[in-house]
Amino acid sequence: MKRRLIIVDSDELLRDTLAICLGADGDYEIIGQTGSGLEAVELCITERPHLLILDLMLPQLCGVEVLRRLRAAVPEQKVLVLTATTNSSLIIAALRSRPNGFVGKPTSLKALREAMNAVCAGSRYYSPIASQLLGESFMPATTISDLSRREREVIQLIAE
């Protein structure tokens, strides 16, 4: 049985290329593609694909907001983020929105397929940079012992 796939990326050439490459092996059926975040949410709600490949940099609705809306409307939707952004704040925001996988561009088609297959099988797949940022984002930035005496005084005054 072919897995149903929707590709969301602002770059039409990339969408078309991925559709040709991923549809050619027979494992995936491309049931939709768009460059719009709003349309991505609508497509997932109506079409219920096995997997959504999602860029973060989209017009109308960014990828992070697409993830948030999908988690509210279709929590079981499997989402693999495929993005070229190197903005660590945006990547952390995306990771906190619970995608099933995260791959940075550029990547090989082989690595993308590995990530897709892992996510469709129910596993999580994060590229090394995503794993590193995810770990750092949940580490406490500062402990109370790292603060100066004056900083602790200010916090105490605020608390009082």
Side-chain angles (χ1 to χ4, degrees), residues 2-7 19 22-23 28-34 39-40 42-53 77:
K2 288 187 177 186
R3 296 175 177 145
R4 297 163 35 95
L5 175 66
I6 293 177
I7 302 169
L22 296 174
Y28 292 92
E29 174 188 2
I30 314 308
I31 61 169
Q33 53 177 302
T34 183
E39 196 172 319
E42 293 171 12
L43 276 170
C44 285
I45 290 171
T46 59
E47 298 297 325
R48 302 293 174 126
H50 292 107
L51 180 64
L52 170 68
I53 294 179
Q77 177 63 61

Side-chain angles (χ1 to χ4, degrees), residues 115-148:
M116 292 168 60
N117 291 336
V119 168
C120 284
S123 298
R124 302 263 178 196
Y125 185 100
Y126 296 107
S127 65
I129 188 66
S131 296
Q132 178 186 350
L133 287 171
L134 186 60
E136 289 172 4
S137 72
F138 290 103
M139 292 174 59
T142 304
T143 62
I144 195 75
S145 62
D146 293 334
L147 299 176
S148 70

Side-chain angles (χ1 to χ4, degrees), residues 88-104:
S88 58
S89 297
L90 183 59
I91 292 171
I92 290 169
L95 292 170
R96 286 185 173 169
S97 297
R98 302 181 333 265
N100 302 86
F102 188 102
V103 178

Side-chain angles (χ1 to χ4, degrees), residues 69-109:
R69 290 185 185 192
L70 285 176
R71 290 298 170 240
V74 191
E76 70 279 3
Q77 177 63 61
K78 291 185 172 136
V79 180
L80 175 64
V81 171
L82 174 65
T83 190
T85 189
T86 56
N87 180 318
S88 58
S89 297
L90 183 59
I91 292 171
I92 290 169
L95 292 170
R96 286 185 173 169
S97 297
R98 302 181 333 265
N100 302 86
F102 188 102
V103 178
K105 297 176 195 171
T107 192
S108 69
L109 190 56

Side-chain angles (χ1 to χ4, degrees), residues 1-61:
M1 179 177 96
K2 288 187 177 186
R3 296 175 177 145
R4 297 163 35 95
L5 175 66
I6 293 177
I7 302 169
V8 181
D9 196 290
S10 59
D11 184 337
E12 184 177 2
L13 178 61
L14 179 64
R15 286 194 318 264
D16 290 344
T17 303
L18 283 176
I20 291 167
C21 292
L22 296 174
D25 67 5
D27 291 338
Y28 292 92
E29 174 188 2
I30 314 308
I31 61 169
Q33 53 177 302
T34 183
S36 159
L38 283 173
E39 196 172 319
V41 174
E42 293 171 12
L43 276 170
C44 285
I45 290 171
T46 59
E47 298 297 325
R48 302 293 174 126
H50 292 107
L51 180 64
L52 170 68
I53 294 179
L54 177 67
D55 190 11
L56 295 179
M57 305 302 290
L58 298 170
Q60 299 174 327
L61 196 63

